[in-house]
Short mmCIF file of all heavy atoms in Angstrom, two decimals:
data_model
loop_
_atom_site.label_atom_id
_atom_site.label_comp_id
_atom_site.label_asym_id
_atom_site.label_seq_id
_atom_site.Cartn_x
_atom_site.Cartn_y
_atom_site.Cartn_z
N THR G 192 2.26 8.76 -3.64
CA THR G 192 1.10 7.98 -4.10
C THR G 192 -0.11 8.88 -3.93
O THR G 192 0.01 10.00 -3.40
CB THR G 192 0.89 6.68 -3.31
OG1 THR G 192 0.42 7.00 -1.99
CG2 THR G 192 2.18 5.87 -3.19
N GLY G 193 -1.26 8.39 -4.31
CA GLY G 193 -2.46 9.23 -4.21
C GLY G 193 -2.87 9.54 -2.79
O GLY G 193 -3.53 10.55 -2.54
N HIS G 194 -2.47 8.68 -1.85
CA HIS G 194 -3.01 8.80 -0.49
C HIS G 194 -1.94 8.76 0.60
O HIS G 194 -2.17 8.18 1.66
CB HIS G 194 -4.05 7.70 -0.24
CG HIS G 194 -5.39 7.99 -0.83
ND1 HIS G 194 -6.42 7.08 -0.84
CD2 HIS G 194 -5.90 9.10 -1.43
CE1 HIS G 194 -7.49 7.61 -1.42
NE2 HIS G 194 -7.19 8.83 -1.80
N ASP G 195 -0.79 9.37 0.37
CA ASP G 195 0.23 9.40 1.42
C ASP G 195 -0.22 10.23 2.61
O ASP G 195 -0.90 11.24 2.45
CB ASP G 195 1.53 10.06 0.92
CG ASP G 195 2.19 9.28 -0.19
OD1 ASP G 195 1.59 9.16 -1.25
OD2 ASP G 195 3.31 8.81 0.04
N VAL G 196 0.24 9.81 3.78
CA VAL G 196 0.08 10.62 4.99
C VAL G 196 1.42 10.73 5.71
O VAL G 196 2.34 9.95 5.45
CB VAL G 196 -0.97 10.00 5.96
CG1 VAL G 196 -2.35 9.98 5.31
CG2 VAL G 196 -0.55 8.61 6.43
N SER G 197 1.51 11.71 6.61
CA SER G 197 2.67 11.86 7.49
C SER G 197 2.16 11.96 8.92
O SER G 197 0.97 12.25 9.14
CB SER G 197 3.45 13.13 7.14
OG SER G 197 3.92 13.09 5.80
N LEU G 198 3.03 11.74 9.88
CA LEU G 198 2.66 11.96 11.28
C LEU G 198 3.35 13.22 11.77
O LEU G 198 4.58 13.33 11.71
CB LEU G 198 3.04 10.77 12.16
CG LEU G 198 2.42 10.85 13.57
CD1 LEU G 198 0.94 10.48 13.52
CD2 LEU G 198 3.16 9.96 14.56
N GLU G 199 2.55 14.16 12.24
CA GLU G 199 3.08 15.43 12.78
C GLU G 199 3.08 15.35 14.30
O GLU G 199 2.05 15.08 14.91
CB GLU G 199 2.18 16.58 12.31
CG GLU G 199 2.68 17.95 12.74
CD GLU G 199 1.69 19.03 12.35
OE1 GLU G 199 0.67 19.20 13.07
OE2 GLU G 199 1.94 19.71 11.35
N VAL G 200 4.27 15.59 14.88
CA VAL G 200 4.43 15.54 16.34
C VAL G 200 4.87 16.92 16.81
O VAL G 200 5.95 17.39 16.43
CB VAL G 200 5.48 14.48 16.75
CG1 VAL G 200 5.52 14.35 18.27
CG2 VAL G 200 5.19 13.13 16.10
N ARG G 201 4.06 17.56 17.61
CA ARG G 201 4.39 18.90 18.12
C ARG G 201 5.02 18.81 19.51
O ARG G 201 4.73 17.90 20.27
CB ARG G 201 3.12 19.74 18.23
CG ARG G 201 2.48 19.98 16.88
CD ARG G 201 1.28 20.88 16.99
NE ARG G 201 0.67 21.02 15.68
CZ ARG G 201 -0.31 21.85 15.40
NH1 ARG G 201 -0.79 22.64 16.34
NH2 ARG G 201 -0.81 21.92 14.18
N GLY G 202 5.88 19.79 19.80
CA GLY G 202 6.37 19.93 21.17
C GLY G 202 7.59 19.12 21.51
O GLY G 202 7.87 18.89 22.69
N THR G 203 8.37 18.70 20.51
CA THR G 203 9.65 18.07 20.86
C THR G 203 10.68 19.17 21.12
O THR G 203 10.45 20.34 20.82
CB THR G 203 10.17 17.15 19.74
OG1 THR G 203 10.80 17.95 18.74
CG2 THR G 203 9.06 16.31 19.13
N SER G 204 11.83 18.76 21.63
CA SER G 204 12.89 19.74 21.91
C SER G 204 13.37 20.43 20.64
O SER G 204 13.91 21.53 20.68
CB SER G 204 14.07 19.04 22.59
OG SER G 204 14.54 18.00 21.74
N ALA G 205 13.14 19.78 19.49
CA ALA G 205 13.53 20.36 18.20
C ALA G 205 12.35 21.05 17.51
O ALA G 205 12.47 21.47 16.37
CB ALA G 205 14.11 19.28 17.30
N GLY G 206 11.23 21.15 18.19
CA GLY G 206 10.04 21.75 17.59
C GLY G 206 9.11 20.70 17.00
O GLY G 206 9.02 19.59 17.53
N THR G 207 8.47 21.06 15.91
CA THR G 207 7.53 20.14 15.26
C THR G 207 8.29 19.17 14.35
O THR G 207 9.05 19.59 13.48
CB THR G 207 6.49 20.93 14.44
OG1 THR G 207 5.71 21.73 15.33
CG2 THR G 207 5.58 20.00 13.66
N VAL G 208 8.08 17.88 14.60
CA VAL G 208 8.72 16.84 13.78
C VAL G 208 7.66 16.24 12.87
O VAL G 208 6.57 15.88 13.32
CB VAL G 208 9.33 15.73 14.67
CG1 VAL G 208 9.90 14.61 13.81
CG2 VAL G 208 10.40 16.31 15.59
N LEU G 209 7.98 16.15 11.58
CA LEU G 209 7.09 15.50 10.63
C LEU G 209 7.73 14.19 10.16
O LEU G 209 8.80 14.21 9.53
CB LEU G 209 6.84 16.41 9.42
CG LEU G 209 5.73 15.93 8.48
CD1 LEU G 209 4.35 16.16 9.11
CD2 LEU G 209 5.81 16.64 7.13
N VAL G 210 7.07 13.08 10.49
CA VAL G 210 7.55 11.78 10.02
C VAL G 210 6.85 11.54 8.69
O VAL G 210 5.64 11.29 8.63
CB VAL G 210 7.24 10.67 11.03
CG1 VAL G 210 8.00 9.40 10.65
CG2 VAL G 210 7.59 11.10 12.45
N ALA G 211 7.60 11.68 7.60
CA ALA G 211 7.01 12.04 6.31
C ALA G 211 7.01 10.94 5.26
O ALA G 211 6.53 11.17 4.15
CB ALA G 211 7.73 13.27 5.77
N GLY G 212 7.50 9.75 5.60
CA GLY G 212 7.53 8.71 4.56
C GLY G 212 8.22 9.24 3.32
O GLY G 212 9.19 10.01 3.40
N ASP G 213 7.73 8.87 2.15
CA ASP G 213 8.41 9.21 0.90
C ASP G 213 7.97 10.54 0.31
O ASP G 213 8.26 10.82 -0.87
CB ASP G 213 8.24 8.09 -0.12
CG ASP G 213 9.05 6.85 0.28
OD1 ASP G 213 9.73 6.90 1.33
OD2 ASP G 213 9.01 5.85 -0.45
N LEU G 214 7.31 11.36 1.12
CA LEU G 214 7.13 12.76 0.72
C LEU G 214 8.50 13.36 0.39
O LEU G 214 8.66 14.13 -0.56
CB LEU G 214 6.46 13.53 1.86
CG LEU G 214 6.23 15.01 1.66
CD1 LEU G 214 5.27 15.27 0.50
CD2 LEU G 214 5.68 15.65 2.94
N PHE G 215 9.49 12.97 1.19
CA PHE G 215 10.89 13.27 0.92
C PHE G 215 11.66 11.95 0.92
O PHE G 215 11.50 11.13 1.82
CB PHE G 215 11.49 14.18 1.99
CG PHE G 215 10.86 15.55 2.02
CD1 PHE G 215 9.73 15.79 2.79
CD2 PHE G 215 11.39 16.60 1.28
CE1 PHE G 215 9.13 17.04 2.81
CE2 PHE G 215 10.80 17.86 1.30
CZ PHE G 215 9.67 18.08 2.06
N GLU G 216 12.51 11.79 -0.10
CA GLU G 216 13.41 10.64 -0.08
C GLU G 216 14.46 10.84 1.01
O GLU G 216 14.76 9.95 1.79
CB GLU G 216 14.14 10.51 -1.43
CG GLU G 216 13.32 9.86 -2.52
CD GLU G 216 13.26 8.36 -2.33
OE1 GLU G 216 14.29 7.69 -2.48
OE2 GLU G 216 12.16 7.88 -2.03
N ARG G 217 15.03 12.03 1.01
CA ARG G 217 16.10 12.39 1.95
C ARG G 217 16.33 13.89 1.79
O ARG G 217 15.74 14.52 0.89
CB ARG G 217 17.39 11.62 1.62
CG ARG G 217 17.89 11.86 0.23
CD ARG G 217 19.14 11.13 -0.15
NE ARG G 217 19.68 11.73 -1.38
CZ ARG G 217 19.14 11.57 -2.59
NH1 ARG G 217 18.09 10.81 -2.75
NH2 ARG G 217 19.66 12.19 -3.63
N CYS G 218 17.15 14.47 2.64
CA CYS G 218 17.58 15.86 2.47
C CYS G 218 18.31 15.96 1.12
O CYS G 218 19.13 15.10 0.80
CB CYS G 218 18.52 16.22 3.62
SG CYS G 218 19.14 17.91 3.59
N GLY G 219 17.96 16.97 0.34
CA GLY G 219 18.67 17.13 -0.94
C GLY G 219 18.27 16.08 -1.96
O GLY G 219 19.12 15.53 -2.68
N ASP G 220 16.98 15.81 -2.06
CA ASP G 220 16.52 14.77 -2.98
C ASP G 220 15.98 15.36 -4.28
O ASP G 220 15.23 14.69 -5.00
CB ASP G 220 15.44 13.90 -2.31
CG ASP G 220 14.18 14.70 -1.97
OD1 ASP G 220 14.16 15.94 -2.18
OD2 ASP G 220 13.21 14.09 -1.47
N ARG G 221 16.36 16.61 -4.58
CA ARG G 221 15.76 17.28 -5.74
C ARG G 221 16.01 16.56 -7.05
O ARG G 221 15.27 16.72 -8.01
CB ARG G 221 16.30 18.72 -5.84
CG ARG G 221 15.71 19.62 -4.77
CD ARG G 221 16.33 20.98 -4.81
NE ARG G 221 15.98 21.70 -6.02
CZ ARG G 221 16.57 22.81 -6.42
NH1 ARG G 221 17.58 23.30 -5.72
NH2 ARG G 221 16.19 23.41 -7.51
N ASP G 222 17.05 15.74 -7.08
CA ASP G 222 17.36 14.99 -8.31
C ASP G 222 16.54 13.72 -8.46
O ASP G 222 16.59 13.08 -9.51
CB ASP G 222 18.85 14.62 -8.32
CG ASP G 222 19.23 13.78 -7.10
OD1 ASP G 222 18.52 13.88 -6.06
OD2 ASP G 222 20.21 13.03 -7.17
N SER G 223 15.82 13.33 -7.43
CA SER G 223 15.24 11.98 -7.47
C SER G 223 13.75 11.88 -7.16
O SER G 223 13.09 10.95 -7.63
CB SER G 223 16.00 11.06 -6.51
OG SER G 223 15.94 11.57 -5.19
N TRP G 224 13.18 12.81 -6.38
CA TRP G 224 11.83 12.55 -5.89
C TRP G 224 10.79 12.53 -7.00
O TRP G 224 9.84 11.73 -6.95
CB TRP G 224 11.44 13.53 -4.78
CG TRP G 224 11.16 14.94 -5.21
CD1 TRP G 224 12.04 15.98 -5.26
CD2 TRP G 224 9.90 15.47 -5.65
NE1 TRP G 224 11.44 17.12 -5.71
CE2 TRP G 224 10.11 16.84 -5.96
CE3 TRP G 224 8.62 14.95 -5.82
CZ2 TRP G 224 9.09 17.67 -6.43
CZ3 TRP G 224 7.61 15.77 -6.29
CH2 TRP G 224 7.84 17.12 -6.58
N GLU G 225 10.96 13.37 -8.01
CA GLU G 225 9.90 13.46 -9.04
C GLU G 225 9.75 12.16 -9.82
O GLU G 225 8.63 11.76 -10.17
CB GLU G 225 10.18 14.61 -10.00
CG GLU G 225 9.87 15.96 -9.37
CD GLU G 225 9.79 17.08 -10.41
OE1 GLU G 225 9.00 16.94 -11.36
OE2 GLU G 225 10.53 18.06 -10.27
N ALA G 226 10.87 11.49 -10.07
CA ALA G 226 10.81 10.23 -10.83
C ALA G 226 10.06 9.14 -10.07
O ALA G 226 9.57 8.19 -10.66
CB ALA G 226 12.23 9.76 -11.16
N LEU G 227 9.97 9.30 -8.75
CA LEU G 227 9.30 8.30 -7.91
C LEU G 227 7.88 8.69 -7.56
O LEU G 227 7.20 8.01 -6.81
CB LEU G 227 10.11 8.11 -6.62
CG LEU G 227 11.55 7.63 -6.82
CD1 LEU G 227 12.37 7.84 -5.56
CD2 LEU G 227 11.56 6.16 -7.23
N SER G 228 7.42 9.81 -8.13
CA SER G 228 6.14 10.38 -7.73
C SER G 228 5.01 9.98 -8.68
O SER G 228 5.17 10.03 -9.89
CB SER G 228 6.27 11.91 -7.72
OG SER G 228 5.07 12.50 -7.28
N GLU G 229 3.86 9.62 -8.12
CA GLU G 229 2.68 9.38 -8.96
C GLU G 229 2.08 10.70 -9.43
O GLU G 229 1.46 10.76 -10.49
CB GLU G 229 1.63 8.57 -8.20
CG GLU G 229 1.99 7.10 -8.05
CD GLU G 229 0.86 6.27 -7.47
OE1 GLU G 229 -0.33 6.63 -7.64
OE2 GLU G 229 1.16 5.26 -6.82
N ASN G 230 2.23 11.76 -8.63
CA ASN G 230 1.66 13.06 -8.97
C ASN G 230 2.58 14.16 -8.44
O ASN G 230 2.44 14.61 -7.29
CB ASN G 230 0.25 13.17 -8.39
CG ASN G 230 -0.46 14.44 -8.82
OD1 ASN G 230 0.17 15.46 -9.12
ND2 ASN G 230 -1.78 14.40 -8.85
N ALA G 231 3.55 14.54 -9.27
CA ALA G 231 4.60 15.46 -8.81
C ALA G 231 4.04 16.84 -8.45
O ALA G 231 4.51 17.46 -7.49
CB ALA G 231 5.69 15.59 -9.88
N ALA G 232 3.04 17.31 -9.18
CA ALA G 232 2.48 18.64 -8.87
C ALA G 232 1.86 18.63 -7.46
O ALA G 232 2.07 19.56 -6.67
CB ALA G 232 1.43 19.02 -9.91
N LEU G 233 1.13 17.58 -7.18
CA LEU G 233 0.51 17.45 -5.86
C LEU G 233 1.57 17.27 -4.78
O LEU G 233 1.51 17.89 -3.70
CB LEU G 233 -0.42 16.22 -5.89
CG LEU G 233 -1.38 15.98 -4.75
CD1 LEU G 233 -2.31 17.17 -4.53
CD2 LEU G 233 -2.20 14.71 -5.03
N GLN G 234 2.57 16.46 -5.08
CA GLN G 234 3.62 16.23 -4.09
C GLN G 234 4.41 17.50 -3.82
O GLN G 234 4.81 17.76 -2.68
CB GLN G 234 4.56 15.09 -4.56
CG GLN G 234 5.56 14.68 -3.48
CD GLN G 234 6.31 13.41 -3.81
OE1 GLN G 234 5.93 12.69 -4.75
NE2 GLN G 234 7.37 13.12 -3.08
N ARG G 235 4.61 18.32 -4.85
CA ARG G 235 5.35 19.57 -4.65
C ARG G 235 4.64 20.46 -3.63
O ARG G 235 5.27 21.04 -2.74
CB ARG G 235 5.53 20.30 -5.99
CG ARG G 235 6.38 21.57 -5.87
CD ARG G 235 6.75 22.15 -7.22
NE ARG G 235 7.68 21.30 -7.93
CZ ARG G 235 7.40 20.58 -9.01
NH1 ARG G 235 6.20 20.64 -9.54
NH2 ARG G 235 8.32 19.82 -9.58
N VAL G 236 3.31 20.52 -3.75
CA VAL G 236 2.53 21.31 -2.79
C VAL G 236 2.67 20.72 -1.38
O VAL G 236 2.89 21.44 -0.41
CB VAL G 236 1.04 21.35 -3.22
CG1 VAL G 236 0.18 22.00 -2.14
CG2 VAL G 236 0.89 22.10 -4.54
N SER G 237 2.58 19.41 -1.29
CA SER G 237 2.71 18.75 0.02
C SER G 237 4.09 19.01 0.62
O SER G 237 4.23 19.24 1.83
CB SER G 237 2.48 17.24 -0.11
OG SER G 237 1.19 16.94 -0.56
N ARG G 238 5.12 18.98 -0.22
CA ARG G 238 6.49 19.22 0.26
C ARG G 238 6.64 20.65 0.76
O ARG G 238 7.24 20.89 1.81
CB ARG G 238 7.50 18.95 -0.88
CG ARG G 238 7.70 17.47 -1.18
CD ARG G 238 8.40 17.25 -2.51
NE ARG G 238 9.74 17.78 -2.59
CZ ARG G 238 10.86 17.08 -2.36
NH1 ARG G 238 10.78 15.80 -2.03
NH2 ARG G 238 12.04 17.64 -2.48
N GLN G 239 6.09 21.59 0.01
CA GLN G 239 6.25 22.99 0.42
C GLN G 239 5.54 23.26 1.74
O GLN G 239 6.06 23.95 2.61
CB GLN G 239 5.77 23.91 -0.70
CG GLN G 239 6.79 23.90 -1.86
CD GLN G 239 6.34 24.68 -3.09
OE1 GLN G 239 5.22 25.14 -3.15
NE2 GLN G 239 7.23 24.79 -4.06
N ARG G 240 4.36 22.67 1.91
CA ARG G 240 3.66 22.82 3.19
C ARG G 240 4.48 22.23 4.33
O ARG G 240 4.57 22.79 5.41
CB ARG G 240 2.32 22.07 3.13
CG ARG G 240 1.25 22.87 2.46
CD ARG G 240 -0.14 22.30 2.79
NE ARG G 240 -1.09 22.89 1.86
CZ ARG G 240 -2.04 22.24 1.21
NH1 ARG G 240 -2.23 20.95 1.42
NH2 ARG G 240 -2.84 22.87 0.39
N ALA G 241 5.07 21.07 4.07
CA ALA G 241 5.87 20.41 5.11
C ALA G 241 7.06 21.27 5.50
O ALA G 241 7.36 21.44 6.69
CB ALA G 241 6.34 19.04 4.61
N LEU G 242 7.73 21.84 4.50
CA LEU G 242 8.90 22.68 4.78
C LEU G 242 8.51 23.95 5.52
O LEU G 242 9.30 24.52 6.28
CB LEU G 242 9.61 23.03 3.47
CG LEU G 242 10.30 21.85 2.79
CD1 LEU G 242 10.63 22.18 1.34
CD2 LEU G 242 11.56 21.44 3.54
N ARG G 243 7.27 24.39 5.32
CA ARG G 243 6.77 25.58 6.00
C ARG G 243 6.40 25.28 7.45
O ARG G 243 6.63 26.08 8.35
CB ARG G 243 5.54 26.09 5.24
CG ARG G 243 4.91 27.35 5.77
CD ARG G 243 3.56 27.56 5.11
NE ARG G 243 2.62 26.53 5.54
CZ ARG G 243 1.45 26.27 4.95
NH1 ARG G 243 1.08 26.92 3.88
NH2 ARG G 243 0.66 25.33 5.42
N ASP G 244 5.84 24.08 7.68
CA ASP G 244 5.21 23.80 8.99
C ASP G 244 6.07 23.00 9.95
O ASP G 244 5.79 22.99 11.15
CB ASP G 244 3.89 23.04 8.78
CG ASP G 244 2.84 23.88 8.05
OD1 ASP G 244 3.01 25.12 7.98
OD2 ASP G 244 1.86 23.30 7.55
N ALA G 245 7.09 22.30 9.46
CA ALA G 245 7.87 21.41 10.34
C ALA G 245 9.26 21.98 10.58
O ALA G 245 9.82 22.67 9.73
CB ALA G 245 7.98 20.03 9.73
#
Side-chain angles (χ1 to χ4, degrees):
Chain G
T192 71
H194 280 173
D195 295 64
V196 296
S197 300
L198 191 77
E199 183 185 79
V200 185
R201 296 184 183 188
T203 80
S204 58
T207 296
V208 176
L209 190 74
V210 192
D213 290 359
L214 178 63
F215 295 88
E216 280 283 292
R217 58 181 194 287
C218 181
D220 64 356
R221 287 175 67 193
D222 58 336
S223 59
W224 72 268
E225 285 195 55
L227 300 165
S228 182
E229 286 188 27
N230 185 333
L233 191 57
Q234 187 169 348
R235 184 170 292 109
V236 172
S237 298
R238 286 165 63 96
Q239 287 174 353
R240 278 197 194 135
L242 291 164
R243 182 192 68 195
D244 294 344

